[in-house]
Amino acid sequence: ELGEELGKKYGKDVELQMLKGVRENVQGKLIERGSNLKIYAPFGPNIFAYAVRRSREDKKGFKSRLIRNGVGWIYNRIY
């Protein structure tokens, strides 16, 4: 919201960017409002290290996303 408010204040177009799978409820609300939102998915040779780091930052959310996607067993292999 702050980015959009500043964009309106200064007459600039604002593009919001979020990572896929992170705060999906917020992403949906932004899209419904018509916000200019790009959703990124990490990709590349360091994706596994990135995924492990992100999972350690948000263990509860990471575990629930794995379970929701039917691959909860992965959580036990990482931890």
Side-chain angles (χ1 to χ4, degrees), residues 1-36:
E1 292 178 2
L2 177 60
E4 291 177 324
E5 289 174 20
L6 290 172
K8 288 177 185 176
K9 179 178 178 180
Y10 293 103
K12 303 285 183 182
D13 290 332
V14 175
E15 176 184 278
L16 305 172
Q17 301 176 359
M18 296 180 76
L19 287 170
K20 182 166 179 57
V22 177
R23 302 199 58 190
E24 291 175 327
N25 59 329
V26 173
Q27 292 176 5
K29 289 177 184 176
L30 290 169
I31 291 168
E32 287 173 3
R33 283 190 353 202
S35 297
N36 186 9

